[in-house]
Amino acid sequence: ALATAERIMQRRIHVRHQLNGVTIIDPANTYIDADVTIGQDTVIYPGTLLRGRTVIGADCVIGPAAHLQDVRVADRVHIWHSVLTDAVILEDSTVGPFAYIRPGSQVGPRAKVGDFVELKNTRLGADSKAAHLAYLGDADIGTGVNIGCGTITVNFDGVRKHRTVIEDEVFVGCNANLVAPVRIGRGAYVAAGSTVTEDVPPGSLAIARQRQVNKEGYVRQLRA
């Protein structure tokens, strides 16, 4: 009986949104709570769950397989194969696939959060991007920032959480650890493979890694 009631209520909710100009590709595989608001010309793909007081703007593409709980989404946003909770996604941004946006986070405008990127209590500024494989926790990230693959903001010292500040137009190379509290100045570069524990002045290049050493003949000796 509960399942039957759920289907009836979902049908009513879907029809209400469709009459307001929302396209729901497969209503039987889309789940929308009663308090959700969706703007005109937004398309909802199958496998999507819109929960709580989620608000979605106009001309968005949500799904397939997107789970949003109490999320505010501006106009022209694309979210797919991702989980978002208590976050704000500003206009013209993209999230997914396989991203995880946790409470207290804000993305954009015109920002990109790509595959296997997790944000927690983090602001990713306008035109900034974290394309893949990054954890950005307790961070304030400016505009036009590139976050390289494998970058981590090391926010927890075992007792307290600390914030990382990345100013505008910073380029962070791949596999960088930014050990909070730390500030990366405007326009700075962080070399790939660096573990940064001190502030980086604006316009500087931070290199924090051992020099490469090649042991010639090592493999032959090891196998012998």
Side-chain angles (χ1 to χ4, degrees):
L2 287 173
T4 300
E6 174 73 16
R7 285 194 296 271
I8 293 170
M9 295 307 299
Q10 281 295 303
R11 189 179 307 117
R12 293 178 183 176
I13 292 170
H14 294 156
V15 169
R16 171 164 56 86
H17 288 297
Q18 289 168 323
L19 292 174
N20 288 332
V22 177
T23 299
I24 302 175
I25 300 296
D26 185 0
N29 288 294
T30 302
Y31 304 89
I32 304 173
D33 282 357
D35 292 329
V36 170
T37 301
I38 308 174
Q40 284 188 330
D41 297 320
T42 287
V43 179
I44 310 296
Y45 278 87
T48 294
L49 290 79
L50 304 178
R51 298 303 196 193
R53 297 186 178 276
T54 292
V55 177
I56 297 173
D59 201 24
C60 294
V61 177
I62 309 297
H67 184 178
L68 281 63
Q69 173 80 41
D70 297 319
V71 178
R72 288 192 292 125
V73 179
D75 297 340
R76 300 176 303 279
V77 169
H78 187 188
I79 301 171
W80 75 109
H81 289 288
S82 297
V83 177
L84 297 82
T85 304
D86 193 18
V88 177
I89 313 300
L90 298 179
E91 60 272 12
D92 300 297
S93 295
T94 62
V95 176
F98 315 120
Y100 184 22
I101 311 296
R102 293 168 56 188
S105 294
Q106 178 174 302
V107 174
R110 301 176 305 281
K112 177 180 180 179
V113 178
D115 51 288
F116 305 105
V117 174
E118 179 177 347
L119 269 61
K120 192 274 289 186
N121 192 25
T122 287
R123 297 173 66 91
L124 183 67
D127 301 300
S128 293
K129 57 183 179 180
H132 29 230
L133 298 168
Y135 171 71
L136 305 172
D138 299 301
D140 296 302
I141 301 171
T143 63
V145 173
N146 179 84
I147 302 295
C149 176
T151 294
I152 296 172
T153 58
V154 187
N155 58 330
F156 187 44
D157 65 5
V159 178
R160 295 183 302 275
K161 299 290 179 67
H162 302 280
R163 292 198 73 78
T164 296
V165 178
I166 302 174
E167 297 181 0
D168 298 344
E169 300 170 2
V170 167
F171 185 95
V172 180
C174 295
N175 291 317
N177 299 306
L178 309 179
V179 183
V182 70
R183 177 182 290 267
I184 313 299
R186 183 181 182 125
Y189 273 53
V190 176
S194 293
T195 295
V196 177
T197 58
E198 299 178 359
D199 291 353
V200 179
S204 300
L205 169 62
I207 305 174
R209 62 192 184 200
Q210 292 285 352
R211 289 187 178 276
Q212 180 173 325
V213 177
N214 296 326
K215 304 288 188 180
E216 295 187 13
Y218 176 82
V219 174
R220 184 170 60 252
Q221 180 181 343
L222 176 67
R223 292 177 178 174

